[in-house]
Amino acid sequence: MNNQLDWSVIPNNMDVFIQGAILTLEISAISLLLSIPLGIIFGIGRISRNPIIRFISGAYVEIMRGVPLLVLLMWIYFGLGQFFSLGSYWGSIIGLATFSGAFLAEIVRSGIQAVPKGQMEAARSAGMSNFQAMRFIILPQAFRRILPPMASQFIILIKDSSLISVIAGVDLTLKAKNLAATSFRYIEIWTFVALVYFIMTFSLSLIIRAIEKRMLKSEQ
Amino acid sequence: MKKWLAALMMITMLIVAGCGNGGDSGSTAGASNNNSTIQKVIKAKKLVVGTNPGYYPFEMVDTKGKFIGYDIDVAQAIADNLGVKLEVKQYGFDGLVPALQTGEIDMIFAGMSITGERALAVSFANPYYKTGQSIMLQANDNTTKSYEDLDKKGTKIATQIATTGSLLAKGIYKNAEIKDFEDFPAAALALQSGQVDAVIYDEPAIQVYNLQQKGKVKKMDGVISADNLGLAVQKNDFESLQWLNSFLHSYIDSPAELESRAKWFEKSDWLTTVKE
């Protein structure tokens, strides 16, 4: 430890950090938006009455949950990449979205199952179709319950996105790695990078908390 | 108890280091002979070196999980000379310098090219191997004749993050996209799976990879830069540098070194013992 801390590397390379942070936000946001429909479809699929749909959904969830994200990213990029030209950018997004989607599916499933059975029966006996009951009665109630675990999942997604550098995905982490490799100011750079990730994830939790509050109000 | 004390000292040092304003505290570590890495190694009866396997034929992991290669032979010879045991630790290439700086390892044995920037963070012994960057292409690529041919929009070039190849590529290419991978095998795999058009890396590794893949890739003739590889110790550890330089003078071209060089660079039978 004969190296003194020198924080000047941070302001001197602020443009690099900003570029990196924007890329991380962009990749996380697109993956997040793609993972939501995946989570809803497979979450409902998990409790479908059709055994084939149930099996496919279960297999998706279990496989994705069981495989490390690192391996999944490499499969997609080096494996699938031989047949479809995905590139690092879309490879990263597909990897993150399908990975996160599996966890969301479990959250959605538990949310739906937590809505009392009577709700579905009442909706059906009021003349609603299965789809209508799901859309207007069950999902809105489930949504409130799943918001907190979903927020955690989104935060994990943002942090997981730092793994995409294994397939040369350019984000805050890769930019920081490159900067550290030429400036050797590891402690300063990684401390600052951690702070940037924290700002991103903490802002997200504040936003979700605000949504929760609004929903609570609209309920009263 | 000891661990607690060490942790406390680390934190104190960090705070002190952070508060200091560039004064004289940096020079104390290397100046005193008792603090030199060589003395520490002899006292602990163990030499801990850090490496980044995947840099053929300098450092690889064999099928039994053992570290092998030209660099490992050098490290073993050093340990034998000092009469101590050798321990090899594995890091990402970009994690080696911090590992050395924090004292997790005594020396870096990773075919690290000597550069001015790196020499600001660590100190290098005299070069022990001379090489250069070369270019690996897809086997069916008949249009790329020189490194300039790759500088086109849409061309992707793979390198390993934090290596001289990566820095060189970013310097010479204005239009091509440089993609940094975690290690050479990943960059090479990206080439073989058609994700990139070329790989820029140290020549010996590309030569060995080419040999191993038997015509699935091809190497462009010649090198595009010169690299001198050096062993790194903590910055300004002069006693260790002096000792390493003396050792290298006695080791290079010795029968043991010639045998090691022939084994890793001229023969290829060791390839079968290496993890794919």
Side-chain angles (χ1 to χ4, degrees):
Chain A
M1 287 300 292
N2 52 5
N3 268 40
Q4 301 208 336
L5 294 186
D6 176 6
W7 293 94
S8 65
V9 67
I10 308 297
N12 290 347
N13 295 286
M14 202 40 100
D15 54 327
V16 177
F17 289 113
I18 291 172
Q19 274 173 15
I22 291 173
L23 279 163
T24 286
L25 272 181
E26 185 182 306
I27 288 168
S28 306
I30 300 174
S31 313
L32 194 152
L33 288 176
L34 289 175
S35 71
I36 293 173
L38 279 177
I40 294 175
I41 292 168
F42 286 104
I44 295 175
R46 284 275 271 176
I47 44 177
S48 163
R49 259 169 296 170
N50 182 331
I52 296 166
I53 295 176
R54 218 165 48 225
F55 176 78
I56 292 171
S57 307
Y60 164 75
V61 169
E62 293 306 339
I63 290 169
M64 289 294 164
R65 285 204 307 184
V67 172
L69 178 57
L70 200 86
V71 176
L72 181 65
L73 286 168
M74 293 205 269
W75 272 348
I76 290 174
Y77 186 75
F78 295 116
L80 273 187
Q82 298 187 23
F83 310 105
F84 313 97
S85 179
L86 295 167
S88 304
Y89 185 81
W90 287 106
S92 303
I93 288 173
I94 292 170
L96 286 169
T98 48
F99 187 73
S100 190
F103 288 88
L104 284 181
E106 275 303 273
I107 294 170
V108 169
R109 179 192 59 80
S110 65
I112 293 172
Q113 285 180 330
V115 176
K117 270 211 171 88
Q119 297 282 329
M120 184 54 136
E121 284 158 11
R124 294 282 287 162
S125 58
M128 283 187 176
S129 71
N130 213 342
F131 177 80
Q132 282 173 322
M134 207 31 121
R135 163 79 184 76
F136 296 107
I137 308 295
I138 308 295
L139 280 182
Q141 293 185 64
F143 187 63
R144 260 192 299 275
R145 290 169 212 271
I146 66 180
L147 209 50
M150 243 167 117
S152 301
Q153 187 51 44
F154 291 156
I155 285 168
I156 291 170
L157 172 66
I158 291 179
K159 294 203 292 179
D160 277 353
S161 73
S162 62
L163 278 176
I164 63 171
S165 59
V166 293
I167 57 168
V170 187
D171 69 336
L172 180 59
T173 300
L174 192 86
K175 294 253 175 198
K177 270 187 185 179
N178 270 320
L179 198 58
T182 48
S183 69
F184 299 102
R185 309 250 55 119
Y186 291 88
I187 295 174
E188 296 87 334
I189 289 171
W190 290 113
T191 307
F192 183 70
V193 166
L195 182 72
V196 176
Y197 275 105
F198 176 76
I199 291 170
M200 289 194 269
T201 53
F202 189 60
S203 318
L204 183 68
S205 30
L206 288 181
I207 293 169
I208 292 181
R209 213 174 291 167
I211 297 174
E212 261 179 84
K213 253 192 196 150
R214 262 211 6 228
M215 287 199 348
L216 221 70
K217 250 187 212 154
S218 67
E219 219 173 318
Q220 286 161 353
Chain B
M1 195 59 201
K2 240 181 158 177
K3 262 192 179 156
W4 264 103
L5 209 70
L8 200 75
M9 265 173 67
M10 273 268 292
I11 293 165
T12 323
M13 275 169 77
L14 232 123
I15 293 166
V16 171
C19 296
N21 48 358
D24 56 353
S25 58
S27 59
T28 49
S32 159
N33 279 349
N34 297 329
N35 288 340
S36 87
T37 296
I38 290 293
Q39 296 295 341
K40 195 190 107 194
V41 165
I42 292 169
K43 226 187 231 163
K45 294 196 169 43
K46 191 168 77 173
L47 172 69
V48 184
V49 302
T51 194
N52 172 234
Y55 179 37
Y56 296 174
F58 291 85
E59 33 264 334
M60 297 81 65
V61 178
D62 72 6
T63 42
K64 295 188 192 91
K66 242 182 81 191
F67 293 96
I68 54 166
Y70 180 80
D71 273 354
I72 309 302
D73 284 353
V74 182
Q76 189 59 58
I78 289 178
D80 292 346
N81 266 264
L82 293 170
V84 300
K85 272 198 355 216
L86 174 69
E87 186 190 336
V88 183
K89 280 192 184 176
Q90 177 172 355
Y91 290 87
F93 191 74
D94 55 344
L96 286 165
V97 169
L100 179 63
Q101 284 176 328
T102 52
E104 288 292 312
I105 53 175
D106 300 317
M107 294 170 193
I108 298 176
F109 274 75
M112 192 177 264
S113 302
I114 298 173
T115 70
E117 272 169 337
R118 284 175 184 159
L120 289 173
V122 298
S123 289
F124 287 101
N126 292 341
Y128 69 100
Y129 199 87
K130 221 181 181 58
T131 176
Q133 299 301 311
S134 64
I135 297 177
M136 185 162 76
L137 301 164
Q138 276 164 8
N140 57 1
D141 185 340
N142 295 317
T143 51
T144 311
K145 302 283 179 231
S146 76
Y147 78 88
E148 289 107 330
D149 293 343
L150 289 168
D151 199 10
K152 286 183 292 225
K153 272 247 145 47
T155 300
K156 291 185 187 129
I157 297 166
T159 60
Q160 180 182 359
I161 192 160
T163 58
T164 39
S166 166
L167 301 174
L168 176 80
K170 283 168 193 156
I172 57 175
Y173 292 119
K174 299 282 168 277
N175 301 313
E177 185 189 347
I178 312 299
K179 298 182 82 68
D180 286 315
F181 287 86
E182 300 274 314
D183 50 28
F184 171 65
L189 188 58
L191 179 72
Q192 280 200 331
S193 61
Q195 300 283 359
V196 299
D197 305 294
V199 176
I200 294 189
Y201 203 66
D202 288 27
E203 188 179 36
I206 288 186
Q207 248 155 5
V208 170
Y209 191 79
N210 208 3
L211 209 66
Q212 195 183 27
Q213 297 298 317
K214 298 187 187 76
K216 287 187 203 145
V217 291
K218 73 174 180 195
K219 183 188 165 300
M220 192 187 279
D221 285 336
V223 292
I224 56 171
S225 76
D227 278 281
N228 286 303
L229 308 186
L231 307 174
V233 294
Q234 283 198 347
K235 203 178 158 189
N236 296 339
D237 181 355
F238 297 111
E239 188 188 346
S240 303
L241 286 173
Q242 186 118 29
W243 187 88
L244 279 176
N245 286 338
S246 304
F247 164 81
L248 289 172
H249 282 310
S250 75
Y251 179 69
I252 290 172
D253 293 330
S254 70
E257 193 266 348
L258 290 175
E259 192 190 317
S260 166
R261 217 191 302 169
K263 178 177 177 189
W264 302 113
F265 291 94
E266 284 150 36
K267 293 181 198 143
S268 58
D269 45 335
W270 58 267
L271 275 171
T272 53
T273 68
V274 173
K275 268 186 186 166
E276 281 260 2

